[in-house]
Each structure stands twice: as structure tokens, then as C-alpha cells.
Amino acid sequence: MSASTPAGPVPPATDRGPVLGRLALTELKLFVRERVGPVFAVGLPLALLVVFGNLPFYNEHRDDLDGFTLLDVYVPILSAFVLAMLSFTVMPQVLAGYREKGVLRRLRTTPVGPARVLAAQLLVNLATAAVSVAAVLLVARFAFGVALPRRLGGYLISIALAALALLAIGLFVAAASPNGRIANAVGATLFYVMMFFAGLFLPIAAMPPLLRHISRAAPLGAAVQALTDATEGHSPHPLQLATLAAYALVFGAGAMRSFRWE
């Protein structure tokens, strides 16, 4: 996704309304106007869900999955897919594109500051993720009969930590990349590597022991395992939640420290 329409300068803090709120609203309008982000973040996961849901192979109950279907297994993975798409392919290219086009340099003369620029992107992508994940869960339930998460509280905690962890990594990529092309290349590489360890191409349970250990340490792998536990009615393992929190803190701080205006 490219930011073809630069954000305008933010009014001074003395104007009505908080700076962060107005900046986030402006970013949301640009995000929707571009259409690419909503299509990939909301439309693509739903399209994959519809394809999987209409394949008989994905709807057969399997003994090796404790009686669940492959579609049951893939719904948490598609929730993680939403977060990965936003974090690694949408947001880094937008922010790096802003830097390349000089938008960030102009924002530097306003009361915005780097923390608000990053926070506005974080808020927009969190809101988009919430809408998309809710759509995946509801369509899976009412169109294909997939049960909603049995531990809703554990699912919400897991998805929130996963979103913060992955978006923090995406912010770090955006902050460190000098232009949109590099941000797009790095983000795309991270996306496919992370989705492999999340089980999109090979279920985690079918991975060799070494890959399963790497998956547990990877942010998206930890997220999928926590979401799967909550979906099946178990409390997410504290180690998985701690792993996600650690990624959020480390890469969030790294994004703040490495942020450059130009």
C-alpha cells in the first residue's frame, strides 16, 4: 500500500480537540480512501475463509486434530493473518512512504512529535484489526458452523497482545526503513516467514520438533498457539502471553528510538 495522499499538517494543540485524536482520524480517512489496506486486511482473510469453508477436505473431523476440522484450526491462523497483513505489509510502507515524500518533515514543525505519529498509525491499525478479526469469527460461525472461542476472555487478551507485538515490529520496520520500497521488501519477507511459523502452510502440530520450538518463540507462532488454546476452551499458556508482551515492549521501544523524520 502506498500513501499517495499526504497527511496535512496538524493544527496547533490550542485548537479544539486533542492532537492525537485528529491525527488518527486523518490517518483513518486516508487509509479508507486508499482502499488497498481495507481490501487486504478485511477482504482477503474473508475470501480465504470462504474458499477453505467450501472445500470438503477442510470440513472433515479428524482424529489427529482431536476431532476438530482443518477449518477449526485455520480460523485462529486467519485471525493472526489479519494482524500480520496490517503489521508487515500495510503500515510500514505507509509510514516509510510518508518519510520519503517529506510528509514527516513537515509534521516535525507541528506539535505532533514522533510518539503521536506512531500512536495514530497504531490506533488506525488496531481498529482495522478488531473489525477484521470480528468479521472472520462471525462469518466462520454463522456461515460454516465453526464454534466461537470457548475462552472469550483468553482470546481477547491473546489477540490484543498479539496485535501490540506485531504492530510494534511493523512500526520498527517503518521507523528504520529509509523508503517505501525497502519497507515493503522487509515487511513482505517478515510476513511470509512469520506466517510459515504460524502454521498457514504447514500446521504447527505437523512440524518437526525443531520447527515447533522456533514457532513457539516466534511472535506469530506464539499468537496462534495462544488463540488456539482459547478457541478450544483452555487458558492461553502464560509463556505465550509473556513472549508476545516482550516483543511488544522491545520493538515498541526500538521503533521510538530509531524513528527518523527524513
Side-chain angles (χ1 to χ4, degrees), residues 85-208:
M85 182 69 67
L86 286 167
S87 301
F88 302 142
T89 68
V90 176
M91 183 177 58
Q93 191 173 356
V94 170
L95 274 174
Y98 280 179
R99 180 187 296 113
E100 191 175 8
K101 296 175 188 298
V103 175
L104 296 182
R105 185 175 63 252
R106 292 194 293 272
L107 286 175
R108 192 176 187 180
T109 63
T110 72
V112 176
R116 289 192 181 97
V117 174
L118 300 185
Q121 280 292 319
L122 189 64
L123 289 174
V124 169
N125 284 279
L126 282 173
T128 305
V131 171
S132 186
V133 170
V136 166
L137 293 177
L138 292 175
V139 171
R141 175 68 185 95
F142 294 108
F144 303 109
V146 177
L148 292 172
R150 292 173 172 82
R151 287 280 182 126
L152 184 58
Y155 198 95
L156 292 176
I157 292 172
S158 300
I159 201 73
L161 284 175
L164 291 174
L166 296 173
L167 287 171
I169 297 173
L171 284 173
F172 178 78
V173 172
S177 298
N179 55 58
R181 293 186 300 276
I182 293 178
N184 189 44
V186 174
T189 302
L190 282 174
F191 174 79
Y192 287 109
V193 171
M194 294 285 188
M195 287 311 305
F196 173 81
F197 288 111
L200 180 65
F201 309 112
L202 178 67
I204 295 174
M207 291 181 179

Side-chain angles (χ1 to χ4, degrees), residues 23-262:
L23 180 61
L25 183 60
T26 299
E27 290 294 334
L28 179 61
K29 291 177 180 177
L30 292 173
F31 181 80
V32 173
R33 186 184 304 167
E34 289 288 334
R35 295 188 179 92
V36 178
V39 166
F40 276 100
V42 181
L44 185 56
L46 288 177
L48 289 174
L49 176 63
V50 170
V51 171
F52 292 156
N54 283 284
L55 294 176
F57 177 71
Y58 279 82
N59 289 280
E60 298 173 355
H61 294 274
R62 301 166 60 101
D63 293 336
D64 57 340
L65 296 176
D66 297 326
F68 292 101
T69 67
L70 272 177
L71 189 61
D72 295 326
V73 172
Y74 269 89
V75 168
I77 295 175
L78 289 177
S79 296
F81 180 93
V82 170
L83 303 180
M85 182 69 67
L86 286 167
S87 301
F88 302 142
T89 68
V90 176
M91 183 177 58
Q93 191 173 356
V94 170
L95 274 174
Y98 280 179
R99 180 187 296 113
E100 191 175 8
K101 296 175 188 298
V103 175
L104 296 182
R105 185 175 63 252
R106 292 194 293 272
L107 286 175
R108 192 176 187 180
T109 63
T110 72
V112 176
R116 289 192 181 97
V117 174
L118 300 185
Q121 280 292 319
L122 189 64
L123 289 174
V124 169
N125 284 279
L126 282 173
T128 305
V131 171
S132 186
V133 170
V136 166
L137 293 177
L138 292 175
V139 171
R141 175 68 185 95
F142 294 108
F144 303 109
V146 177
L148 292 172
R150 292 173 172 82
R151 287 280 182 126
L152 184 58
Y155 198 95
L156 292 176
I157 292 172
S158 300
I159 201 73
L161 284 175
L164 291 174
L166 296 173
L167 287 171
I169 297 173
L171 284 173
F172 178 78
V173 172
S177 298
N179 55 58
R181 293 186 300 276
I182 293 178
N184 189 44
V186 174
T189 302
L190 282 174
F191 174 79
Y192 287 109
V193 171
M194 294 285 188
M195 287 311 305
F196 173 81
F197 288 111
L200 180 65
F201 309 112
L202 178 67
I204 295 174
M207 291 181 179
L210 177 60
L211 292 183
R212 285 202 300 270
H213 287 303
I214 297 175
S215 176
R216 294 189 187 102
L220 212 55
V224 167
Q225 291 175 69
L227 294 173
T228 300
D229 287 343
T231 298
E232 295 176 355
H234 310 297
S235 296
H237 197 285
L239 183 59
Q240 296 164 351
L241 301 181
T243 298
L244 294 173
Y247 275 108
L249 290 173
V250 171
F251 281 93
M256 288 295 299
R257 290 179 63 86
S258 61
F259 187 86
R260 292 175 291 109
W261 292 98
E262 52 186 312

